[in-house]
Amino acid sequence: MNTASQAIFSLHYIGLNLKKGVTEADFEEFVRQRGVQIPAYPGWRWTLLKGLRGERENQYLMLYAAPNSQFYARYIAESGEQTAEAQNFWQQHPQALALIAEWKTYATFAELPTLFTTYSLLAENSNSSLAEGANYQVVAGQQPRSRVVGIHNLALRAGVKPHTFEQFIIDNIHRVEDYPGWKFHLLKGQGGNRKEQYAVMLEIESLDSLNSFHPELDVSTEKALTFVKAHQDTERMYDEWRTMASFSGAPQLYTDYLAIAGNGQ
């Protein structure tokens, strides 16, 4: 796999200005009404996520997605600093700078010194039934379409080489059958606080879809169990995976987030 041609994702922790009395409702109203007007870099999209359950329940995360490493590096250096092209982009969008300044009166923004990790895409389920598109979409005359995004951290077993695990995933990704409307991605940290570490990112078409299979932490419905029984080769692949690394879900750290705002297509 040519990783240079694969998508890049960066995750940035967002915290409320609690000492200024900012509430979740204050911040979310601003973001939905005005913050969504902050543009993404060309070819990028951003999504603001709110923890539903898991390690970071009711906390926020900014997810950026760029089509490949070249697009990402045009605007953000490996250190997390803006490039000259990024600085020029914001100079050409003074209204956006004003909105970012307003955002900072409610919460931190996705920039240094905020903790972040930049991930490259190692593999994804290309047979997923999840439609292409942004994780937060506003459609005229309808309620916004909000997907769920799960971020599940992984760790290799003692003695397992990174290349061995990565090659296994690349060679066996075709065996993964996701639930309808779900999509699996395996990511590897390229910069930031989780460099050289792995995460599973799950994109799920809606909160209703998540709950129909897993309504609570580590709880499976009959619908989920029936699906697993019908896709035993996927389960065998997951068993082989577990001999090399931890698997998605408990006991590893993870959070399932709901998309609450975004920009970019």
Side-chain angles (χ1 to χ4, degrees), residues 179-242:
Y179 297 133
W182 292 45
K183 187 169 185 177
F184 164 95
H185 312 256
L186 183 67
L187 311 179
K188 183 176 182 179
Q190 298 297 312
N193 63 307
R194 298 199 78 250
K195 187 173 182 179
E196 300 298 327
Q197 299 184 59
Y198 301 96
V200 167
M201 183 174 74
L202 298 172
E203 292 181 298
I204 304 169
E205 62 184 357
S206 66
L207 180 56
D208 286 344
S209 180
L210 170 64
N211 288 336
S212 71
F213 293 100
H214 299 289
E216 299 178 43
L217 283 173
D218 305 311
V219 173
S220 298
T221 63
E222 190 62 35
K223 183 178 181 180
L225 297 175
T226 299
F227 185 91
V228 168
K229 290 177 183 177
H231 298 88
Q232 284 299 294
D233 187 54
T234 297
E235 291 306 302
R236 286 189 289 271
M237 183 268 196
Y238 291 161
D239 287 340
E240 294 167 30
W241 169 336
R242 291 183 179 96

Side-chain angles (χ1 to χ4, degrees), residues 46-94:
W46 66 259
T47 310
L48 182 66
L49 307 173
K50 182 177 183 179
L52 287 168
R53 58 199 188 191
E55 178 197 14
R56 303 192 71 248
E57 183 176 352
N58 292 323
Q59 298 184 59
Y60 300 96
L61 190 74
M62 181 72 93
L63 168 63
Y64 287 106
N68 55 52
S69 60
Q70 289 88 354
F71 261 82
Y72 189 84
R74 284 176 59 184
Y75 299 100
I76 302 295
E78 185 176 349
S79 64
E81 296 182 90
Q82 294 180 359
T83 64
E85 188 165 353
Q87 294 170 8
N88 184 58
F89 174 86
W90 294 117
Q91 289 170 4
Q92 294 177 11
H93 295 82

Side-chain angles (χ1 to χ4, degrees), residues 147-163:
R147 291 179 177 173
V148 172
V149 179
I151 305 294
H152 298 230
N153 296 327
L154 306 180
L156 297 181
R157 289 187 178 275
V160 175
K161 302 296 184 184
H163 174 76

